[in-house]
Amino acid sequence: MQDIRQKFTIIREQIEKKVFDSYLLDYIETPIIDDDKLLVLISIMDRLELSFRDIQNYALSTMLIQIALDTHEHISNESKDEKNRQLTVLAGDYFSGLYYKLLADSEDIMMIKSLSKGVKEVNENKIFIYQCNLEGIEKLMNSIKRIESSILTKFSDYFKVDIWNDFIANFLFFKRLLNEKKQYFHSESSILFESLKNIIFPGNETKLKELSGEQRNHLLQICDHYLELSKQVIEKGVKQLPYCNDLLEKRITLLLNQYQPYAKTFVEEG
């Protein structure tokens, strides 16, 4: 019997072999393997009556479709290197093809249908955000949450363990908000904060980095508010999960401890 760490390590190595193609890596950014999503997938299946071979196949195929979606999202519209953009598109399509082949070989059509619903949900919400078809902050945050979690929540729905869904959605949403906040601090650029600016200050053509301290503080306070809400749901939800291994518990604690409300200090120090 392998423990959760061994399963995680073995499956991650298999994913790396699939996506770290030496030719593609010469032209595209290294595909991102989200360790938290992989860990959640393995944790969900760890207590189900599945063989390790099935766990490998389901985790690998689900991560491949997630990586395909993430790869397509990182295509830069401003890139002057057309070959780079074309290869990035093809890389995403290639990862999608691997995903379909794995599940088709296992003849698990119902899983393909389930995850396809997740793909549709992710893409619909990306359109809402990138085309600014948003009707307020709540809609924006809900779209971000669905982009991050739809694949995994459809996965848990398939195995009829949707008790995981609130935790999954808020855990991955919390992580995304933290990353957007860090990105905003380091580069003053963020799709989340850009969308927030358009909602809170409609018609304001000022760039994010040129906003006043008060305006920036307001955006950060909104982000902090949703971080706080998700943190509460995560802390409550993890206690209600029927099983949560030590590795996942440690990762949850580490992520929650990364959060510090910066909104007030941002202006004071700025």
Side-chain angles (χ1 to χ4, degrees), residues 240-257:
Q240 297 174 342
L241 293 176
Y243 41 84
C244 186
N245 57 76
D246 290 343
L247 189 59
L248 182 56
E249 286 184 353
K250 288 179 181 178
R251 178 54 192 160
I252 293 167
T253 300
L254 181 64
L255 189 69
L256 293 180
N257 288 341

Side-chain angles (χ1 to χ4, degrees), residues 34-37 39-40 148 167-182 227-228 230-231 234-235 246-262:
D34 191 317
D35 288 341
D36 290 319
K37 290 179 181 177
L39 179 56
V40 169
E148 290 303 310
F167 164 75
I168 290 171
N170 283 279
F171 177 59
L172 298 177
F173 177 59
F174 185 89
K175 179 179 177 178
R176 174 66 181 265
L177 291 187
L178 279 183
N179 288 336
E180 291 284 343
K181 194 173 176 181
K182 289 175 185 175
L227 279 164
E228 292 282 2
S230 279
K231 182 179 180 181
I234 294 166
E235 291 173 334
D246 290 343
L247 189 59
L248 182 56
E249 286 184 353
K250 288 179 181 178
R251 178 54 192 160
I252 293 167
T253 300
L254 181 64
L255 189 69
L256 293 180
N257 288 341
Q258 288 180 26
Y259 167 60
Q260 296 293 333
Y262 290 117

